Amino acid sequence: MKKMKKNDIYEITIEDMTEEGAGIGHIDGMAVFVKDTAVGDKAKIRIVKTKKTYCFGRLEELITPSPYREVPPCPVARQCGGCTLQHMTYEKELELKKDRVIGCIKRIGGVDNAEELFEGIHGLQERADGCYRYRNKMQFPIGIDKEGHIVTGFYAGRTHSIIPVDDCLIGHPVNSFITKAVISWAERYNVPAYDEKTCKGILRHVLTRIGFKTGELMVCMVINAKELPYSEELLSYLTKAVEDYGGNIKLTSVICNINRENTNRILGDKEYTIYGKSYIEDLIGDVRFRISAQSFYQVNPYMTEQLYDKALKYASLSGTEKVWDLYCGIGTISLFLAKKAGKVYGVEIVPEAVKDAKENASLNGIENAEFFTGKAEELAKELEERADVVVVDPPRKGCDAELINTIIDISPERLVYVSCDPATLARDIKLLKEGGFELMRFSVHDQFSRGMNVETVCLLKKYPMDTR
Ligand code: SAH
């Protein structure tokens, strides 16, 4: 193989995309990552950096643009680190995601017949807004521009410089009224934005959360101060903004979250309510949920119901089963399953989420669900009643190895694995296979349209003892 050097020029075809939205091509079998390209592009590229097993290129000339290219509807799609696939058709996006999940399960998970087990990809193509306007939660950093004006927007990919965004197209249109109101209020009352370099200033982030079914809106101001100044005035600005928007949205909660640390974490631990309730409510199917600022809640309500329906189908409950829902958040999956199960135990690490989960159970009159605060890998060993069905829905790093061993030990009849990262999912499938589980079926759900992240639901079963 010829040794590649910086500034060498090559012609390549882009075959895949990275999570950050760079195109991936190959030169003599070595992967090349090239920003600003799309799958299907034929491009002339210049090598800008070489590593042992891969390299980075810069787009010099688009020889033949990909047939899957599309003009991004958002004016800052290229600069903003949020959407990485806006320059491609939605159809191709779904295909890429499908291939990615099947590829991981095959290669990393060692499941040779992955294609046969795949039950399809579910996306947003049927909606009037298509793959836009689906996110129920947004977090806008607040900063100042070169002229000293307050701005809100998003961080550019891998940086902390704010790209001002007037209206983020994957979010709800009311957000742009809210961020504009926050800017006008801050300028009018001279409330300074937080400066990450000097750690001075007050306003760090504005978060919004919307119950798409209930129309309830929460605005959460994250500040570097003990208390938010001019909060009554802010409330008037926000109320007016929601009125001006004019749609079916009610401002039901305004929260102030205090984060005085010099950290990348958005939310601090302390918060107080400026107006209304400390949570919003929303429905998934006919189950009602209470959601606090700190709690995890699936961001794409259009896909969530389908996702949980699939989890319910895979759990195949008859009404008597004991179910463990590990990494249960505010109890969404637990309560969705509880009506069809004998008993559900939920385990979650964030205490506020567990509090929400308990409230949610009583809100829905569900009496056969119990929730525990702690680490899934620790509590799973202590749960007294053996599980017939285990559901796991871990964060991106996947399940802790200790938890996988516990699941293998207790060997439930069915394991439903909900995952937001195909690579760690596939790693865990491999471990579970070694422990006697077999992947039976899986489906892919497009929870994060226009970005490369994707959600997968899997059904695994324990091999019958005599066939092992
Ligand atoms: N099943 C829920 C939440 C999934 S997100 C839903 O669909 O809404 C993953 C959740 O795991 C988060 O709520 C996070 O707080 C929690 N978590 C992270 N690490 C954990 C651990 N080690 N043990 C238990 N829960 C954990």
Side-chain angles (χ1 to χ4, degrees):
M1 190 170 89
K2 197 176 135 219
K3 180 109 177 57
M4 232 171 275
K5 289 190 315 299
K6 201 172 158 180
N7 285 322
D8 282 355
I9 302 276
Y10 289 92
E11 277 186 26
I12 61 166
T13 301
I14 302 299
E15 302 145 31
D16 204 348
M17 304 296 286
T18 66
E19 267 173 44
E20 288 84 19
I24 309 174
H26 286 90
I27 303 169
D28 287 343
M30 187 192 259
V32 199
F33 301 104
V34 192
K35 269 180 70 178
D36 302 321
T37 56
V39 170
D41 281 345
K42 281 201 176 53
K44 192 186 271 184
I45 62 133
R46 179 186 294 273
I47 303 294
V48 287
K49 199 176 187 181
T50 57
K51 297 268 182 188
K52 263 211 183 96
T53 52
Y54 59 93
C55 58
F56 295 94
R58 193 175 59 215
L59 178 65
E60 286 285 304
E61 188 194 330
L62 206 49
I63 303 167
T64 321
S66 162
Y68 313 113
R69 269 186 182 264
E70 203 169 72
V71 178
C74 170
V76 293
R78 221 188 126 247
Q79 297 95 307
C80 171
C83 295
T84 45
L85 295 177
Q86 272 207 19
H87 61 307
M88 292 185 48
T89 61
Y90 187 50
E91 215 179 343
K92 191 65 185 173
E93 172 179 339
L94 292 181
E95 199 181 307
L96 279 175
K97 288 176 172 175
K98 176 195 97 182
D99 290 347
R100 179 148 171 253
V101 176
I102 294 178
C104 283
I105 290 181
K106 227 172 167 169
R107 271 194 335 272
I108 309 172
V111 181
D112 296 333
N113 63 339
E115 275 104 350
E116 287 164 36
L117 310 179
F118 171 62
E119 289 201 315
I121 178 159
H122 305 267
L124 297 174
Q125 54 283 56
E126 307 292 320
R127 287 176 66 229
D129 284 322
C131 49
Y132 292 95
R133 300 288 186 206
Y134 67 84
R135 262 191 88 101
N136 57 15
K137 174 184 160 184
M138 283 285 168
Q139 14 203 44
F140 303 94
I142 306 177
I144 48 169
D145 65 10
K146 287 194 191 92
E147 283 85 46
H149 294 299
I150 298 224
V151 289
T152 60
F154 290 107
Y155 293 129
R158 289 170 182 263
T159 75
H160 267 205
S161 51
I162 299 175
I163 307 289
V165 176
D166 197 32
D167 179 21
C168 172
L169 297 182
I170 60 170
H172 195 284
V174 75
N175 288 322
S176 103
F177 290 78
I178 296 296
T179 51
K180 278 185 201 131
V182 169
I183 293 171
S184 314
W185 160 83
E187 299 221 308
R188 164 72 181 76
Y189 296 99
N190 280 321
V191 187
Y194 177 70
D195 180 341
E196 285 186 331
K197 290 198 190 87
T198 61
C199 304
K200 294 222 165 69
I202 294 183
L203 305 173
R204 297 180 73 130
H205 273 85
V206 50
L207 265 66
T208 62
R209 250 189 158 152
I210 299 166
F212 274 38
K213 289 239 178 93
T214 56
E216 295 191 0
L217 163 69
M218 169 189 285
V219 176
C220 173
M221 302 292 298
V222 186
I223 61 162
N224 170 47
K226 277 199 207 117
E227 217 180 319
L228 183 72
Y230 302 102
S231 52
E232 280 301 311
E233 288 78 1
L234 174 66
L235 190 56
S236 321
Y237 273 70
L238 295 177
T239 310
K240 168 107 185 8
V242 175
E243 263 170 45
D244 289 349
Y245 165 64
N248 202 9
I249 293 286
K250 300 167 285 211
L251 181 68
T252 51
S253 166
V254 182
I255 306 283
C256 179
N257 177 282
I258 296 160
N259 183 357
R260 309 204 68 175
E261 310 274 311
N262 178 15
T263 159
N264 280 340
R265 266 184 65 195
I266 294 179
L267 290 174
D269 294 329
K270 278 199 208 142
E271 62 184 41
Y272 67 95
T273 307
I274 296 175
Y275 167 76
K277 303 178 289 190
S278 61
Y279 54 85
I280 55 160
E281 289 190 9
D282 199 21
L283 292 152
I284 304 175
D286 56 359
V287 192
R288 187 169 269 271
F289 293 99
R290 215 168 248 205
I291 310 143
S292 321
Q294 303 266 0
S295 300
F296 176 89
Y297 186 63
Q298 290 284 354
V299 294
N300 182 341
Y302 300 100
M303 294 309 306
T304 305
E305 202 168 323
Q306 288 190 28
L307 179 74
Y308 291 174
D309 271 335
K310 193 56 115 177
L312 183 64
K313 190 167 156 231
Y314 284 173
S316 110
L317 302 173
S318 66
T320 55
E321 291 83 358
K322 294 194 179 64
V323 181
W324 294 0
D325 178 19
L326 307 177
Y327 308 89
C328 70
I330 59 169
T332 37
I333 298 180
S334 322
L335 300 179
F336 209 74
L337 301 192
K339 289 181 178 169
K340 305 267 167 61
K343 176 99 200 191
V344 180
Y345 296 101
V347 175
E348 161 63 42
I349 202 166
V350 174
E352 289 81 5
V354 174
K355 198 167 151 249
D356 281 351
K358 288 179 180 168
E359 298 264 1
N360 287 332
S362 56
L363 193 67
N364 290 282
I366 294 172
E367 287 174 354
N368 60 339
E370 236 179 281
F371 295 94
F372 303 92
T373 310
K375 289 187 178 165
E377 56 274 26
E378 288 171 7
L379 288 192
K381 286 190 203 146
E382 293 166 20
L383 289 177
E384 270 168 20
E385 300 216 55
R386 195 191 147 263
D388 302 305
V389 177
V390 171
V391 179
V392 294
D393 183 6
R396 298 195 62 182
K397 65 177 187 209
C399 290
D400 192 281
E402 214 180 315
L403 175 62
I404 299 280
N405 287 334
T406 309
I407 293 174
I408 292 168
D409 278 352
I410 58 152
S411 67
E413 269 158 48
R414 288 179 292 286
L415 170 64
V416 180
Y417 195 136
V418 183
S419 155
C420 53
D421 186 317
T424 58
L425 165 69
R427 175 203 68 199
D428 290 349
I429 287 178
K430 183 151 191 282
L431 294 173
L432 287 159
K433 268 175 55 191
E434 287 160 10
F437 279 86
E438 190 183 355
L439 179 64
M440 308 304 291
R441 276 176 283 157
F442 65 99
S443 69
V444 179
H445 300 258
D446 186 29
Q447 293 284 107
F448 313 102
S449 306
R450 309 278 74 186
M452 264 306 268
N453 290 339
V454 63
E455 197 89 4
T456 309
V457 194
C458 296
L459 170 64
L460 292 109
K461 275 193 183 165
K462 188 87 178 167
Y463 288 109
M465 278 315 216
D466 50 1
T467 61
R468 275 173 76 184

